[in-house]
Amino acid sequence: MTGIIEAAVNGILMGGLYGLIAVSLSLIFGVAKIVNFAHGALLMVALFTVYWILELLKVDPYLSALLAGCFLFFFGYYFQRLFIEPILKREKDTAALTVILLTSGLMLIIENSALLLFGADYRTVRTAYTGKVWEVAGLYIMQPRLIGFVLSVVLIRLLEFYLRRTNFGRAIRATSQDREAARLMGIDDYRVYKVTFGIGTVILGFAAAFLTPFYFIHPAVGDLFVGKSFVIVVLGGLGSITGAFLGGLIVGLIESVGAQFINSAMVESLIFIVFIACLVIRPMGLLGKERE
Amino acid sequence: MVPFFKIEHLEKRFGGLAAVNNVSMTIGEGEIVGLIGPNGAGKTTLFNVITGVYAPKRGKVLLKGQDIAGLKPERICAMGIGRTFQIVKPFSSLTVLDNVLVAAYRRTASRQEATDAAMDILRFLALDEKSATLAAHLTLAQKKRLEMARALATRPIFLLLDETLAGLNHTEIDRMIETVQQVRERRGVTILAVEHVMRAVMKISDRVVVMDEGKKIAEGPPEEVVRKPEVIKAYLGDDYGSA
Amino acid sequence: MRGKVACIVSVCCMVLLLGFGTAFAQQEIKIGVLIPLSGSMAVIGENLQMAHDFAAKEINDAGGVKSLKGAKIKLIYADTRGDPKVGMSEAERLIVREGVSAIMGAFQSSVSYTSTEVAEKYQVPYLVPNSLMDQITERGFKYTFRVERKGSYWAKDQIDFILDMGKKTGVQAKTIGVVYENTDMGQSIAKAIRKLAPEHGLKVVLDEGYPPKTADMTPVVLKMKRANPDVVILNSYISDAILLMRTIADQRVNTMALLGSSSGYSDPSFVKEVGKLAEYFFDLTEWTTDLKHSPLVAQKNAAFKKWTKDHRDFNGGAAFCYASTYILYDALEKAASTDPKRIRDALATVKITKGPAMIIPWTPIEFDAEGQARGARMLVIQYRDGQRKSVWPANIASTAPVWPMPKWEERK
């Protein structure tokens, strides 16, 4: 029984990080309707950013998130500005498909550039939190995971506050719901897209900072998370922030608890079974809006 | 003197089809002009060209003498042209207040000012009690008023109304007519309104413009215009026109 | 008339010159090398590439292939991306477009399995230094040769080691767990262990294959903790090896021994990234730098270390790639030809007892009728102070093993 509880705790903690990564994807998709296949590559960029900040400045990994965030905002902003925006402007009707092709291509370019720049070495950072464990009632809870989870929850609350309560946040929500109407309200839609993309990559920066104390960094590391993120986003409801986070927790739980009962090679299939079942019952995802 | 609003030889094509074909018109400051015509006459397209959703193929759109044709919608909005939609498009997962705030913030960066302005408009349209409700939960009539509120929050000097009355019942229509008139009287906004409800058109319009198949076919005071044979023909077909 | 003669003479001269030109120019022998050079496997591929390059450089510096007038070996690399399908198309490209005389590769069993099929079709010899899936040499292919020991024998060696340690120390393992990446290589070892362990009185209490690209290893480790086997046999690539090792330490999973199956656990990144956590970890491997059977081991490793930019040691995979390049060189000398068929015949009859290929721990190097290296053997190392120290079998080992491993709580 303890083993199952331990697995559930771990599933929730890890699921929080899956959720955070998926929230970023969901935000970008929800607002700009961009299916970003380069998401994993951007996570990798975020991980390397955090890695280099930690290596060069030797700051606390959680502090590095703020520094990385500043850089990554502009990275995301200009990623959208330089690569995706021209396509949205030029191809009004077929842009969705072209953007998928474009982001897939960019993923390969970014990953291979990282391979050239940083080599294929696996890197890890030994921080003050690495390998630290809290023993609570016979359960081992890994410190960096718990901290990462708590901060993820805080970050998502902040993001929701930003979207709900601030001027630009409202503009983002308005644009995500009806781009044309938003433009007629005087909102510069392309600016909203750029800022949203920037916010999305900032979130990835935080996810990277939460992962780094117990994870490894490698040009292909994004591949481990990206497939899962797409499942989570659809499960949670396209464009829903809370839904994506909830989806992350569910996938984390299934993965961790499921593996205690069946072979972990089968757990992936289990995730997809739950995923399909969810879509049959609620085609719009857990917290998605009904289409009008 | 420079006219308040003027369109010159405007043309917009979709493929080979001229949705707006060589249309010209002038609107004076403070006027309420009704724009009528059968379905597919090009009224909504004309709105879309004026508000910058489409760039015209040819022609000018002059607001106080300045050509705004081809500018981006957010620019045109900033210059003082607002609009509502035929099919209501409130941001349904935002509250009523937030819907108006989105627009109000385009005019001011101050939270206080934006909120005050938004509440002011909501009071004006009798939506102040609903300010915390999600837009999705409003009735159709309320949604239409919210559209109007949102458009007004961008502080337009010229407002385009696209079938604000469609789908409303008698009482609601009367109330909306009153609202439109107040928008002009109390806020000094010039209005161009596409409308199918003839009773309303007759009542609110100073002048009526009739479009058919992308062209302007008639213009004048409401009572006169509806008696013109070409207008009757456009609405009812050839047989009636010759009868 | 005179002009015409002059013209013919000069044309003849040119033809002669050109003819001699080619005859005198140093010939090149094109050898294709299939390895993963991008994606998550790139770090492994690059390491193997260095070993091949180093061997080719030594051979060429020493005068090339003498029976072919000093022709140089030219290695042409093709990136498999770790994908069996890409492996096939790249093998075809190497043979048809590049016109290689032989191929080496492809590290991953699944890729070797498919790409050897292409070589067989085109009748080009294919020397497999590293892949261990049994079936690679069990399809009656004439052009496939493998240096590595078969996967099913690895399992036997691992069980032998566990039993042997029990006998020597009196601390006998009763239960065993097997945790592996759910790929051909992992399954091949796991299958053999499932069959062999019960025959030797070891009960398999955990049999866990995890999918490639697993982001979190904690579920697997928690399962390991609950099953509580005396010994866990692990088979992973690098990223999963790093994550597993860290999580096992985090969760304080104590066993008599953790026994790896080379690959990720023998990669230099593993000990570099997990650091102290790797202490006392056992690893079944084909090779290590401290082997005592031949002075060449120390010499060649030192030379490789000097030559590589980051001054790295050979690992097992790299040592076998290095040796394989020499085995192929030996066959080229014997064949005295760049014709694939003749190189194949030469490979089938090599019997190498000296030269740099002898860094691998058995003599002679020869292939049986299946194309499998006869006499291939494995050994076990233990990480001690960050070094891979050979501990078994005793006759070639440099160090005495620590069995059982100390508990996590007792370590500093």
PDB file of all heavy atoms in Angstrom, chain A residues 1 34 47 68 110 180 264 280:
ATOM      1  N   MET A   1       0.823  -1.208   0.000  1.00  0.00           N
ATOM      2  CA  MET A   1       0.000   0.000   0.000  1.00  0.00           C
ATOM      3  C   MET A   1       0.860   1.263   0.000  1.00  0.00           C
ATOM      4  O   MET A   1       0.617   2.185  -0.783  1.00  0.00           O
ATOM      5  CB  MET A   1      -0.908  -0.027   1.246  1.00  0.00           C
ATOM      6  CG  MET A   1      -2.042   0.986   1.169  1.00  0.00           C
ATOM      7  SD  MET A   1      -3.080   0.724  -0.299  1.00  0.00           S
ATOM      8  CE  MET A   1      -3.604   2.369  -0.637  1.00  0.00           C
ATOM      9  N   ILE A  34      -1.679  28.289 -32.969  1.00  0.00           N
ATOM     10  CA  ILE A  34      -0.471  27.756 -33.574  1.00  0.00           C
ATOM     11  C   ILE A  34      -0.201  26.384 -32.978  1.00  0.00           C
ATOM     12  O   ILE A  34      -0.096  26.240 -31.761  1.00  0.00           O
ATOM     13  CB  ILE A  34       0.733  28.679 -33.290  1.00  0.00           C
ATOM     14  CG1 ILE A  34       0.569  29.990 -34.043  1.00  0.00           C
ATOM     15  CG2 ILE A  34       2.033  27.998 -33.679  1.00  0.00           C
ATOM     16  CD1 ILE A  34       1.502  31.055 -33.542  1.00  0.00           C
ATOM     17  N   LEU A  47      16.105  24.713 -21.101  1.00  0.00           N
ATOM     18  CA  LEU A  47      16.977  23.930 -20.211  1.00  0.00           C
ATOM     19  C   LEU A  47      18.430  24.363 -20.349  1.00  0.00           C
ATOM     20  O   LEU A  47      19.147  24.500 -19.366  1.00  0.00           O
ATOM     21  CB  LEU A  47      16.834  22.435 -20.518  1.00  0.00           C
ATOM     22  CG  LEU A  47      15.631  21.757 -19.859  1.00  0.00           C
ATOM     23  CD1 LEU A  47      15.278  20.454 -20.558  1.00  0.00           C
ATOM     24  CD2 LEU A  47      15.914  21.492 -18.383  1.00  0.00           C
ATOM     25  N   ALA A  68      16.484  33.415 -16.582  1.00  0.00           N
ATOM     26  CA  ALA A  68      16.215  32.695 -17.831  1.00  0.00           C
ATOM     27  C   ALA A  68      14.938  33.242 -18.465  1.00  0.00           C
ATOM     28  O   ALA A  68      14.860  33.406 -19.682  1.00  0.00           O
ATOM     29  CB  ALA A  68      16.077  31.201 -17.560  1.00  0.00           C
ATOM     30  N   ILE A 110      16.645  23.664 -34.615  1.00  0.00           N
ATOM     31  CA  ILE A 110      17.075  24.046 -33.264  1.00  0.00           C
ATOM     32  C   ILE A 110      17.823  22.896 -32.593  1.00  0.00           C
ATOM     33  O   ILE A 110      18.886  23.085 -32.007  1.00  0.00           O
ATOM     34  CB  ILE A 110      15.860  24.471 -32.405  1.00  0.00           C
ATOM     35  CG1 ILE A 110      15.212  25.723 -33.007  1.00  0.00           C
ATOM     36  CG2 ILE A 110      16.278  24.749 -30.971  1.00  0.00           C
ATOM     37  CD1 ILE A 110      13.912  26.109 -32.335  1.00  0.00           C
ATOM     38  N   GLU A 180     -11.040  38.565 -34.860  1.00  0.00           N
ATOM     39  CA  GLU A 180     -11.561  39.690 -35.644  1.00  0.00           C
ATOM     40  C   GLU A 180     -12.202  40.735 -34.739  1.00  0.00           C
ATOM     41  O   GLU A 180     -11.955  41.934 -34.862  1.00  0.00           O
ATOM     42  CB  GLU A 180     -12.585  39.197 -36.670  1.00  0.00           C
ATOM     43  CG  GLU A 180     -11.981  38.467 -37.858  1.00  0.00           C
ATOM     44  CD  GLU A 180     -10.846  39.266 -38.516  1.00  0.00           C
ATOM     45  OE1 GLU A 180     -10.927  40.511 -38.566  1.00  0.00           O
ATOM     46  OE2 GLU A 180      -9.869  38.633 -38.953  1.00  0.00           O
ATOM     47  N   SER A 264       5.533  -1.239 -17.357  1.00  0.00           N
ATOM     48  CA  SER A 264       5.554   0.169 -17.739  1.00  0.00           C
ATOM     49  C   SER A 264       5.552   0.367 -19.249  1.00  0.00           C
ATOM     50  O   SER A 264       5.177   1.425 -19.738  1.00  0.00           O
ATOM     51  CB  SER A 264       6.713   0.927 -17.097  1.00  0.00           C
ATOM     52  OG  SER A 264       7.756   0.093 -16.763  1.00  0.00           O
ATOM     53  N   VAL A 280     -14.212  10.542 -25.914  1.00  0.00           N
ATOM     54  CA  VAL A 280     -15.521  10.021 -26.293  1.00  0.00           C
ATOM     55  C   VAL A 280     -16.585  10.640 -25.394  1.00  0.00           C
ATOM     56  O   VAL A 280     -17.634  11.077 -25.849  1.00  0.00           O
ATOM     57  CB  VAL A 280     -15.545   8.482 -26.200  1.00  0.00           C
ATOM     58  CG1 VAL A 280     -16.965   7.956 -26.347  1.00  0.00           C
ATOM     59  CG2 VAL A 280     -14.655   7.886 -27.288  1.00  0.00           C
TER      60      VAL A 280
END
